[in-house]
Amino acid sequence: MKVVDHIAIRVSNLDVAQKWYEENCGAILSFKDPYYRRMSLNNTTLALIDENRYPDNHIGILVDNLEDLPSKGYRKQHRDGTIGVYIKDPYDNVVEYIWYSESAKKKLNGA
């Protein structure tokens, strides 16, 4: 089953963006590093990404199995243990199909 895992938006100032989403949307910070903030909302995750490091806003679609990742597109092993494959829809919007390894799932759950 494929579901929306996250929505990623590029921002110029992570601190300002984080504060805005906390105050205006009730988002809760669940992870941060110098280039990325993961924020939980009631029904999805918002990823705030540094516009100087990441080239595109995107929608992240979760896949259950590694084999479910598309064979075409830009494949990236992320530092948190996830693997993403980035493709563009017919209108140049970026979609990331993302798979979580067991270690990534543990990190996400704070284990």
Side-chain angles (χ1 to χ4, degrees), residues 14-79:
L14 290 166
D15 293 327
V16 169
Q18 176 185 332
K19 182 177 179 183
W20 192 92
Y21 281 96
E22 288 170 339
E23 292 176 354
N24 292 281
C25 300
I28 298 169
L29 181 69
S30 58
F31 178 84
K32 83 182 221 180
D33 73 16
Y35 307 105
Y36 172 85
R37 306 283 167 90
R38 186 175 185 93
M39 309 214 44
S40 297
L41 297 163
N42 285 341
N43 61 345
T44 195
T45 299
L46 176 65
L48 303 174
I49 54 179
D50 185 317
E51 69 182 10
N52 295 311
R53 182 164 179 120
Y54 298 96
D56 299 295
N57 296 313
H58 64 271
I59 298 170
I61 304 294
L62 180 66
V63 299
D64 293 326
N65 302 299
L66 185 60
E67 301 79 31
D68 295 333
L69 289 171
S71 58
K72 294 182 180 179
Y74 171 69
R75 186 180 186 109
K76 177 158 177 63
Q77 171 87 37
H78 298 291
R79 63 191 172 282

Side-chain angles (χ1 to χ4, degrees), residues 94-106:
V94 176
V95 176
E96 175 192 19
Y97 291 88
I98 188 165
W99 172 79
Y100 287 80
S101 65
E102 288 304 315
S103 65
K105 288 177 190 175
K106 288 178 184 175

